[in-house]
Amino acid sequence: MLAGLAVAAVLAGGVSYLASGDPDGLDATTLTGCTVDADGVITGGSCIAQQAADHELGGSFLADYGITGVDNATGLAGLIGVALTFAIGLAIFWGVRRRRTAAATAPQAPDTVGAEK
């Protein structure tokens, strides 16, 4: 478990700085049919990206692979994401384990099936 957490932290915190700044395949595909200027603004044509709208959480603290108000925080945002995901997963597994342990140690009612009166 700790080895997996360490690998995730290294990938999210360190390797993320090596990621390309160019649009990924989905972004590039949604721009097919449009002309785009140097700033990435659609200047003509017809494409799927013209129907895109801002996400409701687009201005949130960890939006767009960064941290609001902090420059070049891709790795830090990745580490925060890994830590939050690990904490939530740990809480879920801890809760499930606790319920199973409580159910297994609870006293059982005597089996009355087939008992004589």
Side-chain angles (χ1 to χ4, degrees):
M1 176 170 72
L2 293 179
L5 180 62
V7 169
V10 167
L11 291 175
V15 177
S16 61
Y17 286 106
L18 302 175
S20 173
D22 294 331
D24 62 12
L26 180 60
D27 288 339
T29 300
T30 61
L31 290 171
T32 301
C34 283
T35 54
V36 182
D37 66 10
D39 295 325
V41 177
I42 298 172
T43 58
S46 177
C47 62
I48 297 171
Q50 290 172 318
Q51 305 302 318
D54 289 335
H55 191 275
E56 294 172 4
L57 300 175
S60 65
F61 179 66
L62 293 174
D64 206 17
Y65 305 105
I67 298 176
T68 304
V70 179
D71 292 337
N72 297 323
T74 302
L76 183 57
L79 286 174
I80 292 171
V82 167
L84 286 173
T85 303
F86 180 75
I88 291 168
L90 189 63
I92 290 170
F93 288 121
W94 181 77
V96 168
R97 182 175 151 214
R98 189 169 177 201
R99 284 187 78 186
R100 284 188 179 175
T101 302
T105 59
Q108 300 292 325
D111 186 15
T112 58
V113 176
E116 292 182 31
K117 291 188 176 183

